[in-house]
Amino acid sequence: MDYQSIKILSNDFTFLSELDVYTSLRFKRAWQSYGDFEIHLIGQQPYAQIGNYIMLSNNADKVGIIKSVTRNAGPEGITTTLKGYHLNGIMTQRIVLPYTDNANHGYFCVPKKAVGQAVVPAPAETVLKSFVKACFPTKQNDPRHIDMLIATDQLRGNKTVWLSRYDQLDEVLQSICEYTDVGYKVWLDTANKTLVFDISTGVDRTAGQSDNSRVIMSTEYESINSLDIQNDTAKQKNVGYAAGVGEDENRLVIAITNDNTMATGLERSEVFIDCGTLEAAETDESLSLSDEGKHKLLDYKTQASITASYNPAGSFAYERDFDLGDLVTIADRQLNIQVDKRITEIEECYEAKSISINLTFGTAPEHLNRVIKSFLPAVK
């Protein structure tokens, strides 16, 4: 692995400067959410301004927006610290506005419901791109418009129906991705100076398949230096009482689960789920209360993640043999584990005398702001 140069681009993607010398660089990408970065530089760096972009070398997938600039004057001179998020973080800047017609019960729905027409589940790619297109309109005179191309819909991913009402777009996209096992990415088309939104399906590189080269993350094979496994059931709920239409004792409430059977006894852990005004009927022409309840119940799943420190001198080369979103096999004899997991986060760290790569497999540990939000009641 080589050290990365840092290009600084203006907010219209015009090249401004290139930085080859820095004291540290940390850049994280996430498959179903957004990563962030932090860069420590020497001097004031006049082009390091909030709203400008940074790009690692010439990699269009490793582009971020500067959101914070700190300059410090000390005994050794002036230093500058830049912080921001990966392009995927643009999705945090929009909320989902609902349709206003009665047929959709005050929600933005994909597929959109029409009176008298059946609701047919759509591929994950269609659902994701419909939400993004609605939040970033193509009309240039629309105040929510930005220069972003949405890649052609190839109808990939598991089919589903999704509803939202004034939710943060990034949280909606993450929930859809986790439910349908796909990712998304925003990258920079440098030739046309525009952003591009697309989904990512990853590559199956597990030990049990033969279509692609296999990748086994193991300390025994020296592909990783260390392995940490986390299982946290503190927030886990497996039965939800989804509430839809009506008020007080007349409000419609049904019990739902994402398991094959309803848990009982001490294995049962319940939560109330507010689904607004949705109906319960399981028909093609209704927006199903049970489906929306099952979606929201996923917010209370077990937090199970595996993190590893990648060994660049080991068996597999980063970005050649594996990358973000790929499905790989993790094996460790000491921990008695062999499991296939997605690479959901990759963090690159460049220090003065070392380079390290940290990998997260499966569901990433929950960010603090999402934990706090889950405890705050909201009327939408």
Side-chain angles (χ1 to χ4, degrees):
M1 291 179 56
D2 298 322
Y3 281 89
Q4 304 286 301
S5 65
I6 302 170
K7 289 181 170 63
I8 297 183
L9 311 174
S10 67
N11 56 14
D12 64 357
F13 310 117
T14 300
F15 174 79
L16 298 175
S17 178
E18 184 166 3
L19 308 173
D20 296 314
V21 179
Y22 47 85
T23 55
S24 71
L25 163 63
R26 179 187 60 79
F27 194 97
K28 180 191 290 185
R29 292 183 295 148
W31 190 53
Q32 296 174 324
S33 181
Y34 63 96
D36 56 9
F37 66 86
E38 182 172 334
I39 306 171
H40 293 259
L41 304 164
I42 298 172
Q44 293 201 52
Q45 305 299 337
Y47 293 113
Q49 302 291 338
I50 290 176
N52 283 344
Y53 295 85
I54 63 105
M55 179 166 64
L56 302 193
S57 298
N58 292 308
N59 195 322
D61 282 330
K62 297 179 184 178
V63 180
I65 308 173
I66 300 172
K67 305 299 288 186
S68 168
V69 179
T70 302
R71 292 183 171 89
N72 176 264
E76 298 181 357
I78 296 175
T79 59
T80 300
T81 302
L82 308 182
K83 295 181 181 180
Y85 50 58
H86 180 268
L87 287 179
N88 282 18
I90 291 173
M91 301 299 135
T92 66
Q93 297 182 204
R94 295 288 186 273
I95 64 171
V96 178
L97 301 181
Y99 293 124
T100 57
D101 58 294
N102 293 331
N104 292 278
H105 302 277
Y107 281 81
F108 181 85
C109 315
V110 182
K112 184 177 181 181
K113 184 181 184 299
V115 175
Q117 293 183 358
V119 177
V120 180
E125 182 171 6
T126 301
V127 176
L128 289 164
K129 291 181 176 178
S130 296
F131 272 96
V132 173
K133 189 178 297 183
C135 292
F136 295 95
T138 56
K139 292 182 179 179
Q140 294 193 358
N141 61 350
D142 192 300
R144 307 181 87 200
H145 169 81
I146 66 170
D147 289 329
M148 181 169 65
L149 174 68
I150 299 177
T152 302
D153 187 353
Q154 301 179 48
L155 307 178
R156 292 171 289 179
N158 297 322
K159 293 184 177 181
T160 188
V161 175
W162 213 271
L163 320 172
S164 177
R165 174 180 171 84
Y166 298 118
D167 298 309
Q168 288 292 141
L169 176 60
D170 64 297
E171 295 177 4
V172 174
L173 298 184
Q174 181 172 352
S175 296
I176 297 170
C177 286
E178 290 176 354
Y179 192 76
T180 58
D181 192 30
V182 299
Y184 74 89
K185 61 180 180 179
V186 180
W187 55 279
L188 176 59
D189 181 344
T190 54
N192 296 301
K193 292 189 175 182
T194 188
L195 303 177
V196 181
F197 177 90
D198 204 356
I199 74 160
S200 170
T201 56
V203 179
D204 186 351
R205 301 191 181 280
T206 56
Q209 56 81 41
S210 57
D211 295 329
N212 305 299
S213 58
R214 298 178 177 88
V215 174
I216 300 175
M217 296 293 179
S218 171
T219 54
E220 295 177 65
Y221 295 162
E222 298 184 341
S223 50
I224 54 176
N225 295 316
S226 63
L227 187 67
D228 295 296
I229 300 175
Q230 178 195 47
N231 283 287
D232 184 352
T233 61
K235 276 190 60 184
Q236 186 262 348
K237 304 291 183 182
N238 53 19
V239 175
Y241 288 92
V245 296
E247 295 181 0
D248 301 325
E249 70 275 9
N250 295 319
R251 190 173 189 185
L252 186 60
V253 180
I254 60 173
I256 53 90
T257 183
N258 286 312
D259 299 332
N260 293 328
T261 58
M262 285 281 185
T264 60
L266 285 176
E267 299 299 318
R268 186 182 179 98
S269 185
E270 302 174 341
V271 65
F272 176 80
I273 299 174
D274 186 357
C275 296
T277 59
L278 292 182
E279 301 170 354
E282 296 291 344
T283 69
D284 287 341
E285 295 186 359
S286 72
L287 299 172
S288 172
L289 172 60
S290 64
D291 282 344
E292 180 66 358
K294 290 177 181 179
H295 291 164
K296 291 188 174 182
L297 186 59
L298 291 174
D299 291 339
Y300 302 92
K301 63 182 179 296
T302 298
Q303 291 290 307
S305 67
I306 300 175
T307 56
S309 173
Y310 165 67
N311 178 14
S315 311
F316 306 105
Y318 170 48
E319 295 183 298
R320 186 195 69 191
D321 298 321
F322 70 91
D323 204 349
L324 188 68
D326 288 352
L327 192 63
V328 301
T329 296
I330 304 161
D332 191 282
R333 189 172 299 175
Q334 296 180 82
L335 295 174
N336 191 31
I337 181 176
Q338 179 166 328
V339 63
D340 299 335
K341 288 283 187 180
R342 293 277 185 191
I343 303 175
T344 52
E345 288 186 353
I346 299 180
E347 182 182 59
E348 304 177 23
C349 302
Y350 302 87
E351 304 291 341
K353 296 182 179 180
S354 66
I355 300 175
S356 62
I357 303 289
N358 298 314
L359 308 175
T360 298
F361 307 91
T363 304
E366 194 156 30
H367 296 296
L368 180 60
N369 64 338
R370 292 191 76 201
V371 175
I372 292 173
K373 281 185 179 180
S374 70
F375 290 104
L376 299 178
V379 176
K380 298 176 181 177

